Amino acid sequence: MVQAMDKPAYLSGQFLLAMPGMLDPRFDRAVIAICAHDANGALGIGLGQVYDGLGLHDVLEQFGIEPGSSPDAPVHIGGPVEPRRGFVVHSRDWGGQGTIDVAGRWALSGTVDVLRAIAGGSGPTRWVVALGYAGWGEGQLDGELTRPGWLNVKGDEGLLFDTAAAARWQAGFAGAGVDPRFLVGGVGRA
């Protein structure tokens, strides 16, 4: 199906993969789940790196929540914006206050009720926790996508929930049929 030229293509529910040679070192080998993208801007959660020595149980402890039987999963570096603010990207089988459905693929929650539900065993069946986010103002991401730097790929739940953070970048390119070893980190001149 061809998309009308006057209707912009938004990337909610897709992933952005940083191309080799990304100029901003904060996004080197980044994998970003785009959770909201429209005419007003975009918000994504980084899922390509985790904090060393920080797990879910540490986050729960900060809120005075007993971890119950929840696994002490790693906490992802969600992005450079508000790095102390937490988010949970999760399966759509749970919803709480402020939960956002992301293009029918996954959900995003940013309130403590999702952490309580996970610790209590009544939360989403699949989830990843992150601190911080990547944000773009009106038209900013659209402008970045016209230049080398990002590759957007399908929002594959396997990449999100079944792939370790350290393997997501490579797996994202492989899923798109691209070998990043053959990509050049820059632009040439003719």
Side-chain angles (χ1 to χ4, degrees):
M1 180 175 169
V2 177
Q3 191 166 2
M5 291 302 289
D6 61 344
K7 184 177 179 187
Y10 294 120
L11 303 180
S12 296
Q14 296 184 36
F15 292 103
L16 286 183
L17 305 176
M19 298 290 279
M22 168 66 78
L23 295 177
D24 188 334
R26 298 173 300 174
F27 294 108
D28 183 44
R29 296 177 63 97
V31 178
I32 300 177
I34 299 297
C35 296
H37 182 209
D38 60 22
N40 298 314
L43 179 139
I45 305 297
L47 301 171
Q49 298 176 7
V50 297
Y51 286 101
D52 286 333
L54 181 65
L56 173 64
H57 291 182
D58 299 311
V59 173
L60 295 174
E61 182 179 310
Q62 291 178 13
F63 287 102
I65 301 170
E66 288 295 321
S69 61
S70 64
D72 195 18
V75 175
H76 293 74
I77 300 171
V81 182
E82 295 188 62
R84 298 189 72 190
R85 183 173 178 191
F87 295 91
V88 179
V89 180
H90 58 86
S91 52
R92 296 174 57 229
D93 58 353
W94 184 89
Q97 179 183 357
T99 297
I100 300 168
D101 180 88
V102 180
R105 293 195 172 112
W106 61 75
L108 176 69
S109 295
T111 58
V112 73
D113 62 332
V114 68
L115 295 176
R116 286 188 185 107
I118 289 169
S122 62
T125 55
R126 304 173 87 192
W127 46 268
V128 293
V129 176
L131 293 175
Y133 66 94
W136 294 266
E138 181 180 336
Q140 186 180 2
L141 179 57
D142 308 291
E144 286 185 24
L145 291 171
T146 66
R147 299 181 299 273
W150 296 109
L151 174 68
N152 68 292
V153 298
K154 179 183 172 202
D156 177 15
E157 289 182 29
L159 184 64
L160 176 59
F161 297 120
D162 301 328
T163 307
R168 281 192 183 111
W169 186 78
Q170 183 75 33
F173 276 103
V178 175
D179 186 338
R181 296 176 302 167
F182 297 114
L183 297 175
V184 193
V187 294
R189 295 182 190 264

